[in-house]
Amino acid sequence: QKMASINKLSVRGIRAFSPEDEEQVISFCFPLTIIVGANGCGKTTIIEALKYSVTGALPPGNKSGQAFVHDPKSTGSSCVKAGIKLRFTNRAGKSMVVVRSME
């Protein structure tokens, strides 16, 4: 039995991932991808973005999503458009994309 697999995650405007820059793309390797980095560099944000893209559930304590979306004050704007794209291969081998947007 084949399993579904994650191919790429694109993040923009979520926490430390700026809405101004190009979306940040993380490519996942098969069978394992290790995410390492210093404190505060976004490792947990990546996991929360994966969970949000798959389930629609915001991280704990983020009922309205305000703490999950990049702070608009830091960019001098009134709102931030945040987005997550998850590209994966389903069990049947078909490539699929989930897109979630927030403002």
Side-chain angles (χ1 to χ4, degrees), residues 19-84:
E20 304 273 308
D21 303 329
E22 289 184 32
E23 62 188 13
Q24 300 296 307
V25 179
I26 301 158
S27 295
F28 292 86
C29 301
F30 184 83
L32 177 68
T33 297
I34 299 173
I35 301 170
V36 296
N39 287 348
C41 72
K43 299 178 301 290
T44 301
T45 301
I46 292 166
I47 300 304
E48 290 173 342
L50 281 168
K51 181 179 177 185
Y52 176 66
S53 64
V54 173
T55 66
L58 290 167
N62 286 289
K63 289 185 176 71
S64 65
Q66 287 177 330
F68 192 51
V69 174
H70 193 82
D71 185 1
K73 292 176 197 154
S74 67
T75 59
S77 60
S78 59
C79 72
V80 167
K81 291 187 178 167
I84 299 170

